Amino acid sequence: MLAYLGFDDTDDHDSVMGTGRLVREFARLLPTGHTLIGIIRHQLPRMDSIPFTSNNSSACAVVDVPEDGERESLRLALRDLAADYLAQQCAPGSDPGLCLAFETEVTPGMVEFGKRAAGVQLTQRDAMDAARPIDLLGLGGTNDGIIGAMAAVGLTRYGWCGRFIEYGRLRELPASLTVRDLLDTGIEVVSVDRDPLVPQAGDSVLDAAWIRPSLWGGRPVLQVRSLGLGVWEPAHSKRGKGAGHGPGLRKDAVRTPGIAG
């Protein structure tokens, strides 16, 4: 049984950890019998009317929860673990939000909310209306983090948005590897060239020191471009914090966000 935990608005400009890193650290605390499937970062709009720290991203942890326990007890334990962790680790100036839903509880309305949140500004009321059957908690400040937390769950269940920042042995892979190495890790490899060929298992993937597969069709998929027959490179590389989007807004500047089982 899969559980989706959405996190948002956990940091400020002086924080050591952004939301993605914070969720990765939280995953280390999962109880025995709980298995982390992956953590997906989701981009939300960078608009003048939306307060954000640097990138306006939220994150969703997908956890395989044992099915031999009573569902409500499992929910409460996981929710309390995440809420207590956020209370201890979130920056004082943040507005953290937490969303928890089991896979069967994520409705089409929640998915639609996530898709809308990726393009327009939504409100806390919008998030609460979409999340009525599940846990959606504001844990400090303005509680605006419930918007991105809800969006992270909806977009992850949608299955065609975001990128993996944690998945299996993703962070242990070498800088130069083969397509087979990625397939063995559970990561599909797809060419995004204009006239794409199909990457073969024995092909090389170079300059892969930083890879973050996309969530496509509910699966981790690495987009690659051809460097020549049988040789590929990741289509996307790491960028500096806040790069390419203009300056982030300070929190106090303005106060007006599936992996299928």
Side-chain angles (χ1 to χ4, degrees):
M1 176 171 58
L2 296 184
Y4 297 77
L5 291 101
F7 299 78
D8 189 38
D9 212 337
T10 64
D11 59 350
D12 62 17
H13 279 274
D14 298 320
S15 297
V16 176
M17 290 193 296
T19 298
R21 171 71 181 278
L22 183 143
V23 178
R24 288 174 52 219
E25 293 297 324
F26 165 74
R28 301 175 186 271
L29 305 178
L30 289 172
T32 301
H34 292 59
T35 303
L36 179 71
I37 301 300
I39 300 173
I40 301 95
R41 175 197 185 275
H42 291 287
Q43 182 64 51
L44 300 176
R46 301 171 62 91
M47 301 167 60
D48 290 345
S49 56
I50 300 177
F52 58 90
T53 305
S54 59
N55 288 314
N56 197 24
S57 63
S58 59
C60 182
V62 182
V63 180
D64 191 5
V65 178
E67 298 192 40
D68 55 358
E70 197 273 323
R71 173 176 288 207
E72 194 58 25
S73 296
L74 291 168
R75 177 201 302 280
L76 291 174
L78 198 54
R79 185 191 70 188
D80 290 348
L81 178 67
D84 290 345
Y85 175 77
L86 288 176
Q88 297 172 22
Q89 300 296 329
C90 285
S94 62
D95 308 313
L98 171 68
C99 181
L100 169 61
F102 289 115
E103 56 183 321
T104 55
E105 299 171 334
V106 183
T107 66
M110 296 175 200
V111 174
E112 187 61 28
F113 175 89
K115 292 163 67 175
R116 289 180 60 216
V120 300
Q121 182 176 2
L122 297 177
T123 67
Q124 290 187 32
R125 173 52 58 189
D126 294 327
M128 290 186 286
D129 287 346
R132 289 193 184 279
I134 63 173
D135 288 313
L136 184 61
L137 307 176
L139 298 170
T142 67
N143 294 325
D144 269 355
I146 66 173
I147 302 170
M150 177 75 245
V153 169
L155 287 169
T156 298
R157 188 61 175 170
Y158 172 49
W160 289 96
C161 187
R163 67 171 186 255
F164 284 84
I165 57 175
E166 196 74 71
Y167 182 81
R169 297 189 299 107
L170 176 64
R171 291 175 176 267
E172 302 171 9
L173 294 172
S176 296
L177 63 165
T178 66
V179 170
R180 181 180 290 106
D181 293 328
L182 292 162
L183 296 174
D184 288 345
T185 305
I187 300 171
E188 301 288 339
V189 183
V190 173
S191 170
V192 293
D193 290 326
R194 177 176 177 177
D195 299 309
L197 297 174
V198 176
Q200 302 298 301
D203 289 355
S204 298
V205 181
L206 306 181
D207 299 324
W210 186 93
I211 58 173
R212 298 294 181 266
S214 299
L215 175 61
W216 278 9
R219 298 182 57 81
V221 176
L222 182 66
Q223 302 171 52
V224 295
R225 292 194 175 98
S226 176
L227 292 175
L229 187 61
V231 183
W232 307 89
E233 68 174 355
H236 306 293
S237 59
K238 186 175 183 178
R239 64 166 179 255
K241 189 174 183 180
H245 294 290
L249 300 180
R250 292 197 62 86
K251 293 288 181 177
D252 55 0
V254 182
R255 289 296 183 194
T256 324
I259 297 178

